[in-house]
Amino acid sequence: EPEVTQTPSHQVTQMGQEVILRCVPISNHLYFYWYRQILGQKVEFLVSFYNNEISEKSEIFDDQFSVERPDGSNFTLKIRSTKLEDSAMYFCASSGIQGTRGWGYTFGSGTRLTVV
Amino acid sequence: AQTVTQSQPEMSVQEAETVTLSCTYDTSENNYYLFWYKQPPSRQMILVIRQEAYKQQNATENRFSVNFQKAAKSFSLKISDSQLGDTAMYFCAFMKPLNTGTASKLTFGTGTRLQVTL
């Protein structure tokens, strides 16, 4: 079964440092997403991406965040200057065209980001 | 904006018994999708079941089934013959239809922690 792959699984970074979280979506999917889950809380939408541009972003996704699909395979989330409150599990997801085989949302296994 | 409400923070069920997790949502959309995701201690998000709002028939996946009441905006998950491996956090989620050229986000509820006991 196709998978969404995220790396690293766990990253520890110092406050103020830049981090890049990486994702490889399912190859025939066209829509890409990042979600965040602070420990013990619900999963929150950050941003969606289609056709090499942001489709929608939440209030959480401020100027400190950016996304990129640099090579047609990877999909990255960059946090420029991390804060303690950025500590969370970050999930990448992808989806295909509705009605096509396997179109539904598939989540990666997540990257646990710890800011110290 | 859509909202999803899960009113049961925690539930417990004995192995082999049946349990029902509740979910209500609010939307002005007529067509949409509803999902149940399972999050075990590993924190991976695993799709359990999906329901299209235009389908009257309730979705089933093996031991998992839903009771979808569109007029009441209710979407409950029934787990039959509960197993220890069902112990997890369960999230209900709402999604507007994907249209060509438009990505569609998931809106999640706050989750229900299910404990299956011997």
Side-chain angles (χ1 to χ4, degrees), chain A residues 31 33 35 37-39 41-43 45 48 50 55-56 89 91 95-96 98 103-105 107-109 112, chain B residues 33 35 37 39 42-45 47 50 52 91 95 97-106 108-110:
Chain A
Y31 306 94
Y33 313 83
Y35 289 81
Q37 185 185 31
I38 294 171
L39 186 63
Q41 297 186 23
K42 70 176 179 180
V43 181
F45 169 75
S48 58
Y50 170 74
S55 291
E56 185 180 359
M89 194 77 157
F91 291 102
S95 62
Q98 209 169 282
W103 72 268
Y105 259 78
F107 281 84
S109 53
R112 182 179 297 181
Chain B
Y33 293 85
F35 303 84
Y37 279 90
Q39 189 179 44
S42 66
R43 297 190 72 184
Q44 187 165 0
M45 295 294 287
L47 176 65
R50 178 179 75 206
E52 290 91 339
F91 290 98
M95 188 187 86
L98 283 165
N99 296 312
T100 303
T102 304
S104 191
K105 68 182 181 187
L106 286 172
F108 286 89
T110 51

Side-chain angles (χ1 to χ4, degrees), chain A residues 30-63:
Chain A
L30 301 178
Y31 306 94
F32 314 113
Y33 313 83
W34 284 101
Y35 289 81
R36 181 181 83 174
Q37 185 185 31
I38 294 171
L39 186 63
Q41 297 186 23
K42 70 176 179 180
V43 181
E44 300 173 292
F45 169 75
L46 290 178
V47 65
S48 58
F49 192 86
Y50 170 74
N51 199 27
N52 287 319
E53 61 183 25
I54 290 174
S55 291
E56 185 180 359
K57 57 184 180 180
S58 71
E59 293 174 352
I60 304 168
F61 194 88
D62 61 21
D63 291 343

